[in-house]
C-alpha cells in the first residue's frame, strides 16, 4: 500500500494559504468539496508543489518554466497523467497540457477520443445508450492574461489533487471523464509579470497598492509577445499560442471548457452565465441553461468557504473570439471565471486585505466545482453536444450550396482566409475552373468554396454573417467580426455551383517552387502590387541595392509574352548598382516562396503611358520605420503595427519609447508610427520639426485626436453631445445610456480615392474596423482625404443612431503635407487584432509609398 499524506498535512503541503494562515477554516472546506467523507488522503509518491518548487503555492508567483517543471514531475510520477506540448510561444516557451484519467482510460486514450469525435462528426450515429457509457471531456484553462496569475497556481493544485488524491470523489471524476489541464495560456506575458512581481518584493509582502510590486511597467504582463490580448484571438487565430490551443480543442472537442481570469481588486468573484441580453443569438438557449446549472455548483463551493460572488452581470457571451465563448458555437459549454486580483502577494482593498493565496483558493474551489458538475451532468452535456451538431445538419436548407469567396487577384489573402477557416475545422475547397454569379467573377487563382453541408455550418454562419440589429446596445467586447469584410473579399451565397467548378480541399502544404523564367538581359522588370505580401519582395529588393520605383500612372509595356498594361502601384525594378545577372538572381531570391506576379520588359520605352524612367515613376528608397511605444501609448495598437511589419511584411522595426523622442536622433527614421493613446504632453515641437524636415508621421485610431488637439493637423473632431443624450435619464440608467452612444467595435464602409498612392492595390470601397465616438471633419483644401465613410456606412455591428448621423462623409484616411514631409491619419484601426487583411494594405502603402505622395 502506498504511503499517503493526511488531510492535516495536505493543508500545509498544497499550500492553499501561506503557512501562517494554514489553519484557516476555509481550507478543509475546499478539500471537502471534492471528498465524499470530509477527508482525503494523497499518494505520497506524487510530488507536491512544495517538494518540486521549494515554496508553498500562494507564497510567491510561479514562473512559466517552474510550472512546466512541476507538470513534468507529476507526469513522470503518476500513472494517471500524460503530459503533452501543444505549442511554443513567440518567445519559444512551451505550452503544455496534462491529460488526467484512470490508467485504463489513458491506455485507451485514442479510442476514447475518436469515440467522442462522433458526437460532432456523425451525431446521428450515436445512440443514447452509447452516450450514457461515454466519458465526458473537460478542458480546464487558466490565465490567458499573464498578469492574472492565480489561475495557473490553481492549475498546479488541481493537477496534484487529481494525480495524488485517493478519495472516492476523485475516483468518480476520473472514472467519468478525461480532464485536460492547460495551466497557462500565455507564458510570455506571465514571464513578464512574474519576473516583475518577484523581483520587486522584499522579504515582507507589502499591501500598499502604490508599492512598485503592484505596478508593472508598460506594456504589463496581460498580453503576449506582440502585445496582443490572446483572449480576443480565438476567431482570428493569428498567434502560435492560440493556434496550438485551437488544435488541442478540436483534437478533443470537450463538453466543458473553463477559462480562469482575474478582474479589479475591489470586485468579488464572477462566474457565468453573463448578461442574458448580450448572449450571441447563434448560441442555443440550452447552452445557457446548462451554464446556469453548472453555476449552482460554483455557488455551493464558494458559499462553503465562504466567498462572495455574482453572476449574470458585467460580462457577456457575445464575441466568439473569447475562450469562454468560443466553445458555445462549437457544441460545448464555456465558463468564464473572474477572481478579484491581488496582483501582488497581498493588497489593501476597501473590503480589507486580499491575499494572493486566497485568490488561488477560490480558483481551485471553482475548478473542483466544475468537475463535480461535469460528473453529475455528464449525460446531458454529451447529449447536448451530439444534438447541437445533429440540429446543425437538419436545420440547413442549403446543403447543396455554399459560399463562394474571392480576393480578386490576391492569392495570399485568399490563402490566409482558408488557413483561418481550417483552424476552425471548416472545410474549404479551391476552384478548378472559373464561375460567375451576381456580376462577380470567381477565378481559381484567388477564390474559395465553403460548403454548407458540413458539421461547422453554425460556426460558418457566425463568422460570415452581417448583423446590424441587436437585443442590447452595449457589448463587453466588439459587436462585429465578419470575416469577408475583414479580408476585403467578395462573397456569394449560392444554392449550387456548376459541375467541375469545385476542386479539392484547400491545403496549406506549400506548392512546389516553380522557377521564374525571367530573362537576365531585360532592361527592367515590373511587379504588380496586388498580392498582400508584395511588400516583402519590395523590401528585399531594396535591401539588395536594386533600383525600385512605383508607377503613379497606368502604362503599357512590351514583355516576352506581348504588350501588357500595368496599373498605378506597379513596382518598376531596374539594376541600380547591380549587374544584369545579379539583378536576376536578386529578383529570383526576393520572390522565392511568394505569390507575386513578375514580368520582364523588353524596353524602357513603353507602348503607352510614362516610360520606365519617367518622373511619374517615383523612386522608392528603403524605409526606416519606428513605432512609438511606452507609457502613454496603446500597447494593443502598437503591437498590431509591430506584428504587421515584423511578421507579415518582415521588415526591421525600431520600437522607440515615447520618453526618448526628445533626445533621440529622429533623422535615423523615414517613418514614425504613433498607433494610439497619445497625450498632449508629448514633445509636439520635436515631432513637427522632424516632419517638416521630410519625415512621414503615421497616426492611427485615437492618436489622430492627439494630432488634432496639438494642432499638428488643421481639422475638427466631432462627436455626439452626451449631455443632451443623458438629459432626463434616471441616475440608475445613465451609465448604460452613455455606453450605448459608443461605437464599441463595428465595420464601416469607406469610399476610396483610388488614384492616391495609399490606395494602390486597393479597390474603390474598403471595409474598416472602427471604435469610439469621435470622428474627423476636414474643410481645409490642403488636407488630402484619401477615403471617407460612405453615406450608408454601417456594414456590420452596432452603431448608435445619433452617431450614425455624424459618420457619413467624415474622414477615414487623410494625408496632410507639412513642409517636406507628410502626416497621415487613419481614423480607424487598419490592422485590428492582426486579421484585418483588407485595410492593412493601406497602412503598408503608407509606409512603403510615402515618397510617392
Amino acid at each position: 500500500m502506498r504511503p499517503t499524506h493526511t488531510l492535516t498535512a495536505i493543508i500545509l503541503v498544497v499550500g492553499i494559504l501561506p503557512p501562517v494562515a494554514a489553519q484557516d477554516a476555509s481550507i478543509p472546506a475546499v478539500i471537502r468539496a471534492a471528498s465524499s467523507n470530509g477527508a482525503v488522503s494523497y499518494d505520497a509518491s506524487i510530488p507536491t508543489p512544495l517538494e518540486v518548487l521549494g515554496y508553498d503555492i500562494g507564497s510567491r508567483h510561479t514562473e512559466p518554466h517552474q510550472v512546466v517543471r512541476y507538470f513534468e514531475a507529476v507526469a513522470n510520477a503518476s500513472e494517471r497523467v500524460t503530459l503533452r506540448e501543444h505549442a511554443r510561444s513567440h518567445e519559444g516557451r512551451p505550452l503544455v497540457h496534462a491529460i488526467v484519467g484512470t490508467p485504463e482510460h489513458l491506455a485507451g486514450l485514442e479510442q476514447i477520443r475518436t469515440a467522442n469525435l462522433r458526437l460532432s462528426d456523425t451525431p446521428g450515429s450515436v445512440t443514447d445508450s452509447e452516450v450514457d457509457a461515454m466519458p465526458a471531456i473537460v478542458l480546464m484553462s487558466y490565465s490567458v492574461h499573464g498578469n492574472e496569475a492565480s489561475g495557473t497556481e490553481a492549475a498546479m493544485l488541481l493537477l496534484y489533487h487529481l494525480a495524488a488524491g485517493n478519495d472516492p470523489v476523485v475516483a468518480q471524476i476520473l472514472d467519468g471523464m478525461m480532464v485536460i489541464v492547460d495551466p497557462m495560456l500565455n507564458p510570455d506575458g506571465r514571464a513578464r509579470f512574474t519576473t516583475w512581481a518577484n523581483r520587486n518584493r522584499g522579504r515582507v509582502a507589502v499591501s500598499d497598492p502604490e508599492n512598485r510590486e503592484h505596478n508593472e511597467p508598460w506594456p504589463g504582463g496581460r498580453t503576449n509577445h506582440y502585445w496582443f490580448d490572446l483572449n480576443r484571438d480565438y476567431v482570428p487565430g493569428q498567434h502560435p499560442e492560440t493556434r496550438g490551443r485551437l488544435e488541442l480543442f478540436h483534437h478533443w472537442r470537450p463538453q466543458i471548457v473553463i477559462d480562469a481570469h482575474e478582474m479589479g481588486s475591489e470586485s468579488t468573484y464572477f462566474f457565468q452565465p453573463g448578461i442574458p441580453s448580450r448572449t450571441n443569438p447563434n448560441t442555443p438557449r440550452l447552452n445557457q441553461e446548462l451554464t446556469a446549472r453548472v453555476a449552482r455548483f460554483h455557488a455551493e463551493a464558494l458559499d462553503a468557504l465562504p466567498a462572495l460572488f455574482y453572476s449574470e452581470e458585467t460580462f457577456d457571451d457575445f464575441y466568439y473570439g473569447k475562450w469562454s465563448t468560443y466553445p458555445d458555437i462549437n457544441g460545448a459549454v464555456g465558463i468564464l471565471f473572474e477572481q478579484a486580483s491581488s496582483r501582488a502577494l497581498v493588497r489593501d482593498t476597501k473590503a480589507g486585505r486580499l491575499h494572493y493565496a486566497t485568490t488561488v483558493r477560490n480558483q481551485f474551489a471553482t475548478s473542483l466545482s466544475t468537475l463535480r458538475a461535469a460528473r453529475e451532468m455528464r449525460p446531458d452535456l454529451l447529449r447536448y453536444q451530439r444534438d447541437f451538431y445533429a440540429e446543425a445538419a437538419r436545420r440547413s436548407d442549403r446543403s447543396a450550396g455554399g459560399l463562394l469567396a474571392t480576393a480578386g487577384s490576391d492569392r495570399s489573402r485568399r490563402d490566409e482566409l482558408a488557413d483561418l477557416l481550417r483552424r476552425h475545422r471548416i472545410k474549404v475547397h479551391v476552384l478548378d475552373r472559373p464561375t460567375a454569379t451576381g456580376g462577380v467573377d470567381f477565378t481559381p487563382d484567388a477564390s474559395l468554396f465553403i460548403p454548407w453541408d458540413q458539421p461547422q455550418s453554425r460556426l460558418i454562419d457566425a463568422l460570415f454573417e452581417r448583423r446590424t440589429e441587436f437585443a442590447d446596445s452595449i457589448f463587453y467586447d466588439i459587436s462585429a467580426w465578419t470575416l469577408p469584410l475583414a479580408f476585403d473579399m467578395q462573397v456569394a451565397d449560392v444554392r449550387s455551383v456548376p459541375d467541375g467548378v469545385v476542386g479539392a480541399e484547400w491545403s496549406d502544404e506549400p506548392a512546389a517552387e516553380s522557377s521564374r523564367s525571367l530573362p537576365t538581359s531585360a532592361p527592367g522588370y515590373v511587379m504588380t502590387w496586388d498580392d498582400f505580401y508584395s511588400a516583402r519582395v519590395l523590401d528585399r529588393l531594396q535591401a539588395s541595392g536594386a533600383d525600385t520605383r512605383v508607377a503613379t500612372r497606368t502604362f503599357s509595356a512590351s514583355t516576352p509574352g506581348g504588350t501588357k498594361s500595368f496599373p498605378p502601384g506597379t513596382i518598376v525594378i531596374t539594376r541600380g548598382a547591380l549587374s544584369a545577372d545579379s539583378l536576376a538572381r536578386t529578383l529570383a531570391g526576393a520572390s522565392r516562396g511568394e505569390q507575386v506576379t513578375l514580368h520582364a520588359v523588353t524596353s524602357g520605352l513603353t507602348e503607352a503611358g510614362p516610360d520606365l524612367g519617367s518622373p511619374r515613376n517615383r523612386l522608392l528608397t528603403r524605409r526606416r520605420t519606428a513605432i512609438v511605444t511606452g507609457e502613454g501609448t496603446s500597447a494593443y495598437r502598437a503591437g498590431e503595427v509591430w506584428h504587421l511589419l515584423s511578421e507579415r511584411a518582415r521588415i526591421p522595426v525600431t520600437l522607440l519609447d515615447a520618453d526618448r523622442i526628445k533626445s533621440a536622433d529622429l533623422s535615423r527614421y523615414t517613418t514614425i508610427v504613433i498607433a494610439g493613446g497619445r497625450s498632449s504632453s508629448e514633445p509636439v515641437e520635436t515631432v513637427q520639426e522632424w516632419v517638416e524636415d521630410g519625415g512621414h508621421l503615421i497616426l492611427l485610431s485615437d492618436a489622430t485626436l492627439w494630432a488634432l488637439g496639438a494642432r499638428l493637423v488643421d481639422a475638427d473632431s466631432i462627436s455626439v453631445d452626451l449631455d443632451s443624450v443623458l438629459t432626463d435619464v434616471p441616475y440608475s440608467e445613465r451609465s448604460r445610456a452613455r455606453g450605448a452612444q459608443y461605437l464599441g467595435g463595428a465595420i464601416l464602409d469607406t469610399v476610396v480615392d483610388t488614384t492616391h498612392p495609399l490606395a494602390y492595390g486597393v479597390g474603390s470601397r474598403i471595409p474598416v474596423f472602427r471604435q469610439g465616438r469621435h470622428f474627423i471633419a476636414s474643410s481645409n483644401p490642403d488636407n488630402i482625404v484619401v477615403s471617407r465613410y460612405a453615406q450608408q456606412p454601417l456594414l456590420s455591428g452596432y452603431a448608435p443612431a445619433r452617431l450614425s448621423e455624424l459618420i457619413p462623409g467624415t474622414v477615414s484616411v487623410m494625408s496632410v503635407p507639412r513642409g517636406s514631409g507628410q502626416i497621415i491619419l487613419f481614423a480607424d484601426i487598419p490592422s485590428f487584432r492582426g486579421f484585418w487583411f483588407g485595410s492593412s494594405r493601406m497602412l503598408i502603402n503608407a509606409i512603403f509609398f510615402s515618397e510617392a505622395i
Side-chain angles (χ1 to χ4, degrees):
M1 184 173 178
R2 292 182 174 181
T4 61
H5 294 299
T6 65
L7 172 61
T8 302
I10 204 63
I11 292 172
L12 295 170
V13 171
V14 175
I16 296 172
L17 292 176
V20 294
Q23 301 306 317
D24 187 297
S26 62
I27 300 171
V30 176
I31 299 298
R32 283 197 299 272
S35 172
S36 61
N37 58 9
V40 60
S41 62
Y42 290 82
D43 184 344
S45 69
I46 307 302
T48 66
L50 177 62
E51 291 168 340
V52 174
L53 304 176
Y55 57 86
D56 287 316
I57 293 294
S59 64
R60 66 180 284 116
H61 292 82
T62 306
E63 302 198 18
H65 70 278
Q66 296 174 303
V67 177
V68 174
R69 177 151 53 94
Y70 182 67
F71 269 59
E72 289 173 340
V74 173
N76 289 334
S78 174
E79 58 184 4
R80 300 178 185 174
V81 179
T82 294
L83 187 66
R84 294 179 178 173
E85 179 180 313
H86 56 270
R88 290 263 165 165
S89 70
H90 279 294
E91 295 176 14
R93 292 185 175 87
L95 286 89
V96 300
H97 63 276
I99 305 170
V100 190
T102 64
E104 294 75 21
H105 279 164
L106 291 181
L109 202 57
E110 188 58 18
Q111 293 91 325
I112 291 173
R113 187 185 75 83
T114 54
N116 186 69
L117 300 189
R118 291 174 56 209
L119 296 171
S120 49
D121 285 343
T122 56
S125 70
V126 186
T127 66
D128 283 347
S129 59
E130 288 179 294
V131 168
D132 290 340
M134 292 174 65
I137 312 296
V138 181
L139 176 54
M140 314 288 282
S141 308
Y142 301 87
S143 300
V144 69
H145 298 137
N147 57 8
E148 298 177 6
S150 60
T152 296
E153 312 285 356
M156 290 188 284
L157 294 185
L158 179 67
L159 180 66
Y160 177 79
H161 181 68
L162 296 179
N166 288 325
D167 84 311
V169 175
V170 171
Q172 291 170 9
I173 288 171
L174 299 184
D175 282 340
M177 68 189 75
M178 303 300 302
V179 182
I180 304 170
V181 184
D182 187 350
M184 53 178 176
L185 281 62
N186 178 10
D188 291 352
R190 184 178 182 88
R192 283 202 303 275
F193 170 70
T194 55
T195 299
W196 175 265
N198 290 332
R199 287 183 178 177
N200 288 281
R201 179 183 304 129
R203 178 178 291 272
V204 178
V206 177
S207 60
D208 180 3
E210 297 302 323
N211 186 46
R212 186 175 171 86
E213 176 191 1
H214 291 262
N215 296 283
E216 307 164 75
W218 191 100
R222 177 183 177 87
T223 53
N224 79 336
H225 171 80
Y226 279 108
W227 311 327
F228 277 65
D229 185 338
L230 291 178
N231 196 40
R232 306 297 186 270
D233 192 42
Y234 291 101
V235 163
Q238 296 302 305
H239 297 276
E241 301 94 332
T242 309
R243 294 181 179 189
R245 189 154 301 104
L246 288 171
E247 185 176 353
L248 173 65
F249 177 90
H250 289 295
H251 184 74
W252 278 101
R253 300 178 208 166
Q255 283 74 52
I256 288 186
V257 177
I258 73 160
D259 185 21
H261 288 248
E262 292 180 351
M263 56 181 169
S265 301
E266 299 295 341
S267 302
T268 57
Y269 195 96
F270 169 87
F271 50 79
Q272 285 178 317
I275 298 173
S277 62
R278 301 181 196 170
T279 300
N280 194 299
N282 291 294
T283 299
R285 181 183 298 274
L286 182 54
N287 170 281
Q288 295 295 287
E289 293 173 1
L290 290 169
T291 304
R293 284 178 59 189
V294 175
R296 290 196 286 269
F297 290 85
H298 306 322
E300 180 182 348
L302 294 174
D303 278 339
L305 293 178
L308 291 174
F309 58 85
Y310 70 99
S311 187
E312 296 188 296
E313 296 180 62
T314 310
F315 301 95
D316 67 30
D317 266 322
F318 189 81
Y319 174 47
Y320 287 129
K322 296 187 297 180
W323 192 229
S324 61
T325 311
Y326 182 77
D328 297 343
I329 195 62
N330 284 277
V333 174
I335 301 173
L336 171 68
F337 295 138
E338 293 276 356
Q339 162 65 49
S341 179
S342 67
R343 284 297 191 264
L345 285 186
V346 59
R347 184 183 184 93
D348 291 334
T349 73
K350 293 177 182 177
R353 287 190 170 181
L354 177 62
H355 290 265
Y356 185 45
T358 302
T359 70
V360 176
R361 179 203 69 181
N362 293 347
Q363 302 276 32
F364 178 54
T366 52
S367 296
L368 297 183
S369 61
T370 299
L371 296 180
R372 289 182 56 223
R375 182 193 71 197
E376 296 191 23
M377 295 171 58
R378 180 185 59 80
D380 293 338
L381 293 165
L382 290 163
R383 286 193 183 93
Y384 169 71
Q385 187 168 88
R386 178 198 63 183
D387 296 346
F388 176 94
Y389 283 99
E391 175 62 22
R394 287 193 298 268
R395 75 188 183 98
S396 177
D397 59 356
R398 303 170 288 188
S399 59
L403 297 172
L404 284 166
T406 182
S409 56
D410 189 343
R411 187 170 177 177
S412 289
R413 266 187 297 135
R414 186 278 305 266
D415 287 351
E416 288 288 354
L417 177 62
D419 187 42
L420 186 157
L421 295 175
R422 283 281 296 272
R423 286 194 289 276
H424 295 295
R425 199 166 57 87
I426 294 172
K427 296 177 183 178
V428 181
H429 293 260
V430 297
L431 302 190
D432 278 347
R433 65 181 181 87
T435 188
T437 184
V440 179
D441 293 324
F442 297 88
T443 62
D445 281 349
S447 300
L448 298 169
F449 178 71
I450 304 118
W452 285 116
D453 187 14
Q454 58 175 304
Q456 291 291 71
S457 61
R458 273 180 153 160
L459 179 56
I460 296 170
D461 264 334
L463 297 181
F464 279 74
E465 72 176 359
R466 295 191 188 189
R467 184 180 295 275
T468 56
E469 294 184 2
F470 303 87
D472 204 322
S473 57
I474 299 177
F475 302 85
Y476 180 72
D477 196 66
I478 60 177
S479 64
W481 53 89
T482 311
L483 288 185
L485 297 179
F487 282 74
D488 190 24
M489 292 176 65
Q490 291 182 287
V491 173
D493 189 347
V494 295
R495 291 192 173 274
S496 63
V497 291
D499 291 341
V501 169
V502 177
E505 281 196 50
W506 178 87
S507 172
D508 58 358
E509 292 297 323
E513 185 69 28
S514 59
S515 60
R516 298 183 188 273
S517 55
L518 296 172
T520 60
S521 58
Y525 305 87
V526 295
M527 177 178 71
T528 56
W529 194 256
D530 54 5
D531 186 84
F532 186 82
Y533 292 118
S534 297
R536 292 180 181 175
V537 180
L538 176 58
D539 183 72
R540 292 167 189 165
L541 290 169
Q542 292 172 339
S544 71
D547 183 286
T548 59
R549 299 168 189 263
V550 60
T552 63
R553 298 290 188 276
T554 298
F555 68 95
S556 297
S558 176
T559 74
T563 300
K564 296 184 183 298
S565 179
F566 299 98
T570 298
I571 305 301
V572 177
I573 306 155
T574 54
R575 297 178 188 176
L578 302 176
S579 67
D581 287 344
S582 294
L583 177 59
R585 287 195 302 270
T586 296
L587 195 54
S591 61
R592 185 172 296 119
E594 307 298 346
Q595 301 185 113
V596 296
T597 302
L598 293 165
H599 297 275
V601 294
T602 59
S603 173
L605 182 67
T606 62
E607 301 291 324
D611 296 327
L612 295 195
S614 167
R616 299 278 191 185
N617 296 335
R618 303 296 297 273
L619 180 66
L620 301 177
T621 57
R622 198 179 192 200
R623 300 291 83 194
R624 302 184 306 278
T625 304
I627 303 169
V628 179
T629 57
E631 295 296 337
T633 67
S634 166
Y636 289 164
R637 303 287 86 89
E640 289 163 356
V641 180
W642 183 23
H643 181 265
L644 174 69
L645 299 182
S646 183
E647 293 289 327
R648 303 247 190 264
R650 297 183 183 172
I651 64 173
V653 178
T654 295
L655 304 180
L656 177 65
D657 270 3
D659 60 8
R660 293 188 55 81
I661 288 178
K662 264 192 172 179
S663 60
D665 177 9
L666 298 187
S667 67
R668 299 170 61 89
Y669 312 110
T670 60
T671 309
I672 293 177
V673 182
I674 305 178
R678 304 308 306 143
S679 69
S680 59
S681 62
E682 291 308 317
V684 177
E685 295 81 5
T686 304
V687 173
Q688 182 171 316
E689 288 174 7
W690 171 81
V691 172
E692 291 176 347
D693 285 342
H696 293 267
L697 178 66
I698 301 175
L699 303 166
L700 310 182
S701 187
D702 56 356
T704 60
L705 300 180
W706 167 74
L708 268 58
R711 305 312 300 173
L712 276 174
V713 175
D714 182 13
D716 297 315
S717 172
I718 59 174
S719 61
V720 171
D721 179 6
L722 288 179
D723 289 339
S724 64
V725 171
L726 298 177
T727 301
D728 298 327
V729 173
Y731 172 77
S732 63
E733 295 296 321
R734 289 178 70 86
S735 176
R736 181 180 181 83
R738 179 184 294 272
Q741 299 306 316
Y742 181 80
L743 200 67
I747 305 171
L748 305 182
D749 187 18
T750 63
V751 180
V752 182
D753 177 357
T754 58
T755 68
H756 195 281
L758 296 187
Y760 289 164
V762 177
S764 60
R765 309 292 283 258
I766 189 165
V768 298
F769 188 87
R770 191 63 159 84
Q771 290 179 318
R773 62 182 183 88
H774 295 276
F775 288 79
I776 299 172
S778 174
S779 58
N780 188 332
D782 292 333
N783 297 341
I784 304 168
V785 179
V786 183
S787 64
R788 297 180 184 273
Y789 296 109
Q791 289 303 307
Q792 299 294 325
L794 185 62
L795 295 174
S796 188
Y798 168 77
R802 293 199 181 192
L803 197 58
S804 296
E805 297 170 1
L806 300 178
I807 296 174
T810 57
V811 172
S812 172
V813 180
M814 183 168 69
S815 174
V816 180
R818 292 298 296 263
S820 299
Q822 294 280 339
I823 300 175
I824 301 170
L825 292 84
F826 287 79
D828 34 64
I829 309 173
S831 191
F832 180 68
R833 292 183 180 169
F835 77 113
W836 225 260
F837 283 83
S839 54
S840 287
R841 293 174 295 165
M842 294 188 77
L843 178 53
I844 290 172
N845 288 354
I847 292 170
F848 282 88
F849 292 161
S850 56
E851 292 164 297
I853 301 174

